[in-house]
Amino acid sequence: MRKFILAKPIDMSTGFKDFFDTIGLTGGGLVTKGIAAVIAVIAVRMLLQLSSDPKGALRKGSMAIGTLFVAVVLALYGDTLFSTVTEAKG
């Protein structure tokens, strides 16, 4: 009988640090992704609440698109942007 091994066993006895290392995220990276997700939800809510007034809808829509852009940039490059803040020399 053959044994099928999908993945080698990983020792997770030290808790969350090992888990985040296996998925490739640090604690700061996870917080950055969480903040980006909250901003994205706010941007989508802003898009769904557009008014029927064309001028106001254009202004609110462009603000929502800008907010969504900030959320995407933060999700993609947030850990790189904030890595200089957390690695202070002193």
Side-chain angles (χ1 to χ4, degrees):
M1 182 178 219
R2 298 174 92 183
K3 279 180 109 176
F4 290 103
I5 299 174
L6 296 176
K8 69 177 188 171
I10 298 173
D11 180 27
M12 297 262 190
S13 60
T14 59
F16 284 112
K17 183 183 178 311
D18 286 337
F19 172 71
F20 290 135
D21 287 343
T22 58
I23 62 173
L25 279 178
T26 60
L30 188 65
V31 169
T32 305
K33 300 254 189 275
I35 291 170
V38 169
I39 292 174
V41 167
I42 291 170
V44 169
R45 185 168 180 240
M46 288 169 63
L47 279 173
L48 293 175
Q49 290 183 345
L50 293 179
S51 63
S52 60
D53 174 38
K55 231 182 209 182
L58 185 62
R59 185 174 63 241
K60 287 182 180 180
S62 62
M63 194 180 314
I65 295 294
T67 306
L68 194 58
F69 177 74
V70 167
V72 168
V73 167
L74 188 61
L76 292 176
Y77 304 112
D79 52 343
T80 307
L81 289 171
F82 294 123
S83 68
T84 57
V85 175
T86 58
E87 296 174 7
K89 307 228 187 254

